[in-house]
Amino acid sequence: MSAGVAARVAAVRILDAVVQRGRSLKAEFANALPALPDPRDRALTEAIVFSALRNRARYDEALVAWMPKPPGRRDGELRALLWAGFAQLDALGLPPHAAVDATVASARELGREHQAGLVNALLRRALREPLPAADAGAAWPEWLANRIRNDWPGDAEAIFDESAKEAPSWLRVNRRRGSRDDYLRRLREAGINASVDERLADAVKLESAVPVAQLPGFDAGDASVQDGSAQAVADALSPPLGARVLDACAAPGGKAAHLAERDPSLRIVALDVDARRVRRMQETFARLGIEIESRAADAADPAAWWDGTAFDAILLDAPCSATGIVRRQPDVLLHRRESDLASLVALQAKLLDALWPALAPGGALLYATCSILSEENSGQVRAFLEGHADAALEPLDARFGRDTGFGSQRLPGEGGMDGFFCARLRKR
């Protein structure tokens, strides 16, 4: 297989699996990328897939306009091939001849010799004619777009636009391994441009994405990849010295690790219901040089794991619709169903009710999601407060987003960060 073709073949297969067979984008990347030995191929595959998914509404409009019979569900691989080609020419701006030739070669590699001419003709048309403009909201399922418009009437279009953009790269500097200023200097010495954000004590924002293998000291645990919104959780919870802390839905472990990096005196227990994700979380803790008690357990069933000793602080980063991180997980718009939402809201309420008894009087529970839907966020907190007379909502300042009256909401792209919600509940 010639140079660059392997990356495009991988991208097409991933797109087809995610769009046609409902597979998770994260799982498909995990399966496919290790098979590409060249890191440049891995980076190109990711770039093509993300660009194609973010712009799929525009690319489908082009296919409808340019083909008498656009590819349907039975020919998803052809559609994925054309999306991958358009993404290279449009969003990624790759050299036209290389993009077209390698995509046509990918068609042959995929056993689509009979369609190579069609792929060539449509990509060359894309070089001559502009791809149609499209409303970024067109990529969202109608039921979900309507909920966004209802919850955020003045911000909905900005949410759609921001969710279609590439997310910036944020790093969290491990305080146990050095200061943020020292790490910023190391990045610059390595030729990587970055800046700090004064709202986040441990954060560094890269000017452009860099493979983690190129980050100074990454393997040694000097830094981790984590969005700014997620890094704000440590400040929002802010447990006292020596506190016993529970991270109830902890995988992949970034927030628990951040707390441990900041304060070695904390006694942290990290739970996750998925044993495989717990093993990966433990690998992360080992890389960072921190020790955190971690186990596979269902946080909604404390009888199965709680020893009866109350926690001083609890972090519940609850399962949610992930509508605040569409720019990082564009497959959310393909896979999320309206019926999912009621199940998620019920699970969030169940987790809150189950964990509240494990919190010591005077302790704080931080409820967080990466959702921007009020039903999962302010509505969930309002309902919890109505049913728990011993709970009080504590205000969070403007660093954590907009005050909704029942917690703080950051919308996608605000401050360069992901959409995120958090509310701090104090037990009387």
Side-chain angles (χ1 to χ4, degrees):
M1 207 180 301
S2 59
V5 175
R8 288 157 174 98
V9 167
V12 170
R13 287 176 171 154
I14 292 169
L15 284 168
D16 186 39
V18 169
V19 176
Q20 295 300 124
R21 286 179 275 134
R23 296 293 305 272
S24 153
L25 178 59
K26 190 178 292 185
E28 289 301 303
F29 275 143
N31 289 334
L33 295 182
L36 297 170
D38 189 329
R40 293 170 298 182
D41 280 344
R42 295 196 289 271
L44 178 58
T45 300
E46 288 186 293
I48 291 173
V49 171
F50 275 118
S51 298
L53 290 176
R54 290 182 181 124
N55 293 283
R56 60 190 173 82
R58 294 177 55 228
Y59 299 164
D60 268 345
E61 282 202 29
L63 296 180
V64 169
W66 295 350
M67 297 177 75
K69 187 178 180 183
R73 292 190 59 83
R74 292 184 177 180
D75 209 355
E77 194 172 74
L78 173 62
R79 184 167 66 168
L81 254 170
L82 292 165
W83 283 6
F86 291 157
Q88 293 168 68
L89 299 173
D90 170 52
L92 299 178
L94 299 184
H97 290 299
V100 172
D101 290 351
T103 305
V104 171
S106 302
R108 297 192 176 99
E109 192 66 34
L110 289 162
R112 294 184 169 271
E113 175 73 39
H114 60 294
Q115 291 172 326
L118 173 66
V119 172
N120 184 57
L122 287 168
L123 296 188
R124 292 194 181 281
R125 183 166 180 174
L127 290 172
R128 299 192 302 271
E129 300 179 30
L131 288 159
D135 176 2
W140 290 62
E142 186 177 357
W143 69 270
L144 187 51
N146 288 338
R147 283 179 183 266
I148 299 290
R149 293 189 179 101
N150 183 63
D151 286 355
W152 303 101
D155 301 285
E157 298 310 315
I159 289 170
F160 300 144
D161 288 341
E162 288 295 329
S163 298
K165 294 178 181 175
E166 181 179 359
S169 294
W170 290 83
L171 303 179
R172 184 188 77 241
V173 178
N174 185 349
R175 289 189 186 189
R176 296 198 190 189
R177 302 296 179 96
S179 72
R180 181 175 67 171
D181 287 346
D182 283 343
Y183 195 76
L184 188 63
R185 175 183 52 76
R186 293 170 65 190
L187 286 171
R188 289 173 176 165
E189 287 173 354
I192 300 171
N193 293 324
S195 58
V196 299
D197 187 314
E198 296 305 330
R199 295 166 297 184
L200 301 164
D202 304 309
V204 172
K205 187 177 177 184
L206 301 185
E207 197 167 282
S208 56
V210 174
V212 294
Q214 295 179 20
L215 295 173
F218 182 84
D219 288 341
D222 296 354
S224 299
V225 176
Q226 188 177 41
D227 185 78
S229 283
Q231 294 191 47
V233 163
D235 289 318
L237 183 60
S238 195
L241 286 171
R244 187 171 193 240
V245 181
L246 173 67
D247 187 349
C249 300
K255 298 179 185 69
H258 192 195
L259 289 167
E261 289 168 2
R262 283 186 158 200
D263 183 358
S265 76
L266 297 177
R267 296 165 291 145
I268 302 175
V269 177
L271 302 183
D272 199 89
V273 72
D274 186 330
R276 188 176 48 182
R277 282 162 57 84
V278 169
R279 287 194 291 275
R280 287 204 294 267
M281 186 165 69
Q282 291 167 337
E283 292 170 0
T284 296
F285 296 158
R287 178 181 69 84
L288 296 170
I290 55 180
E291 292 185 5
I292 292 178
E293 180 183 344
S294 53
R295 66 180 78 160
D298 181 357
D301 182 19
W305 54 265
W306 185 35
D307 62 6
T309 302
F311 292 91
D312 304 301
I314 295 176
L315 168 59
L316 171 55
D317 188 2
C320 70
S321 62
T323 40
I325 56 171
V326 167
R327 58 186 189 168
R328 295 191 190 276
Q329 296 182 20
D331 56 328
V332 165
L333 300 183
L334 293 164
H335 302 329
R336 189 65 66 216
R337 300 289 178 265
E338 191 167 13
S339 56
D340 297 341
L341 195 56
S343 300
L344 287 166
V345 170
L347 176 59
Q348 293 153 5
K350 182 179 179 182
L351 286 163
L352 277 166
D353 288 341
L355 293 169
W356 191 248
L359 182 67
L365 184 151
L366 190 78
Y367 174 73
T369 76
C370 56
S371 166
I372 54 173
L373 299 179
S374 60
E375 193 173 355
E376 298 181 276
N377 297 336
S378 56
Q380 189 71 264
V381 172
R382 181 192 294 114
F384 182 81
L385 289 169
E386 288 173 355
H388 295 77
D390 60 344
L393 178 68
E394 291 189 336
L396 295 167
D397 63 44
R399 289 176 297 161
F400 304 98
R402 308 176 184 199
D403 182 6
T404 68
F406 292 93
S408 296
Q409 179 75 63
R410 186 184 303 283
L411 298 179
E414 290 184 339
M417 302 180 208
D418 289 345
F420 200 79
F421 173 86
C422 58
R424 187 169 60 205
L425 300 162
R426 184 73 63 183
K427 195 169 193 176
R428 295 190 176 97

